[in-house]
């Protein structure tokens, strides 16, 4: 592997998981106590990890979502579509001063809720906006080198009687020579009641 190579063939994958009781606490107990979603918890953990590693209080990364947000339902009913629309947009999170986990979680939650339309407009403005003064700065700005994507509770996606089963862990084929868009890509999901991150 050459220095600076960022091809699919140069990657290494590390997968970690929580046991089922800790995952259930993460999914059920913490969100109830702080009125949060699992993504808020995972992104707080990501911000704490990366900022302690880099020594900065802020983290800029790309957040990937499924693109099937509630705001699209009236304009493009999703019932007759298949798959995800995958929205990817940059996010900057800043940890508050202090070490209280609850305060950090609440701060990250508020920062995420402040993103207009859950980031759905970013790609539209960057690629389709006819106003050059809007589109050009977005297109020319460097893309964050970290990507985060929480895929959801995959073990509830198919009924037990389904003809199909999920591949564990979720994988896909990538050509070894393909250039990767991010240096660090973090994907999370829940399968068999356990949170897994790779």
């Amino acid at each position: 592997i050459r220095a600076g190579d960022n091809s699919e063939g140069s990657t290494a994958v590390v997968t970690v998981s929580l046991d089922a009781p800790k995952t259930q606490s993460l999914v059920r107990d913490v969100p109830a106590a702080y009125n949060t979603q699992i993504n808020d918890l995972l992104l707080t953990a990501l911000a704490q990890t990366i900022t302690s590693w880099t020594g900065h209080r802020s983290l800029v990364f790309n957040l990937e979502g499924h693109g099937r947000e509630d705001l699209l339902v009236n304009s493009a009913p999703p019932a007759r579509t298949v798959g995800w629309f995958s929205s990817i947009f940059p996010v900057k999170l800043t940890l508050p001063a202090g070490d209280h986990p609850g305060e950090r979680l609440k701060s990250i939650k508020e920062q995420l809720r402040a993103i207009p339309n859950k980031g759905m407009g970013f790609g539209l403005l960057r690629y389709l906006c006819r106003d050059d003064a809007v589109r050009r700065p977005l297109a020319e700005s460097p893309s964050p080198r970290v990507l985060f994507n929480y895929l959801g509770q995959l073990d509830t996606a198919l009924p037990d009687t389904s003809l199909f089963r999920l591949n564990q862990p979720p994988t896909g084929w990538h050509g070894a020579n393909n250039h990767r868009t991010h240096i660090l890509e973090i994907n999370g999901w829940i399968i068999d009641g356990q949170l897994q991150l790779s």
Side-chain angles (χ1 to χ4, degrees):
I1 297 173
R2 297 182 320 268
D5 186 14
N6 193 25
S7 66
E8 291 292 343
S10 70
T11 64
V13 177
V14 176
T15 301
V16 295
S17 63
L18 286 180
D19 62 29
K22 288 179 182 167
T23 298
Q24 283 308 305
S25 179
L26 190 70
V27 171
R28 186 185 54 236
D29 301 339
V30 178
Y34 287 95
N35 193 28
T36 59
Q37 301 168 354
I38 190 168
N39 227 26
D40 302 327
L41 298 165
L42 296 175
L43 291 172
T44 300
L46 175 69
Q48 290 180 161
T49 301
I50 299 290
T51 58
S52 70
W53 179 38
T54 63
H56 301 297
R57 283 190 36 222
S58 295
L59 163 68
V60 178
F61 64 101
N62 272 338
L63 182 58
E64 183 171 354
H66 52 69
R68 292 179 164 271
E69 308 300 340
D70 293 338
L71 61 112
L72 292 178
V73 171
N74 292 331
S75 59
R80 297 183 54 89
T81 62
V82 176
W84 291 357
F85 299 127
S86 288
S87 62
I88 298 177
F89 54 96
V91 173
K92 179 180 181 182
L93 297 177
T94 302
L95 288 176
D99 293 332
H100 191 274
E103 293 303 315
R104 287 182 165 193
L105 176 58
K106 286 193 283 187
S107 175
I108 296 298
K109 176 185 89 166
E110 290 167 6
Q111 291 173 62
L112 291 169
R113 300 298 183 280
I115 298 170
N117 298 319
K118 297 184 179 180
M120 288 296 296
F122 177 78
L124 296 172
L125 291 173
R126 180 176 181 174
Y127 297 105
L128 300 176
C129 184
R130 293 182 182 170
D131 184 347
D132 247 9
V134 173
R135 184 181 43 77
R136 182 173 289 134
L138 294 175
E140 292 174 353
S141 63
S143 182
R145 305 305 291 168
V146 176
L147 174 73
F148 182 87
N149 184 13
Y150 173 66
L151 297 163
Q153 290 189 254
L154 301 181
D155 51 3
T156 61
L158 296 170
D160 292 337
T161 58
S162 175
L163 179 63
F164 300 100
R165 293 280 175 242
L166 290 171
N167 187 14
Q168 295 187 23
T171 58
W173 181 83
H174 298 277
N177 293 326
N178 288 356
H179 179 74
R180 293 166 27 91
T181 56
H182 297 85
I183 292 174
L184 179 60
E185 183 176 327
I186 302 150
N187 292 292
W189 56 85
I190 295 176
I191 293 181
D192 296 331
Q194 294 185 309
L195 173 67
Q196 298 180 9
L197 293 167
S198 85

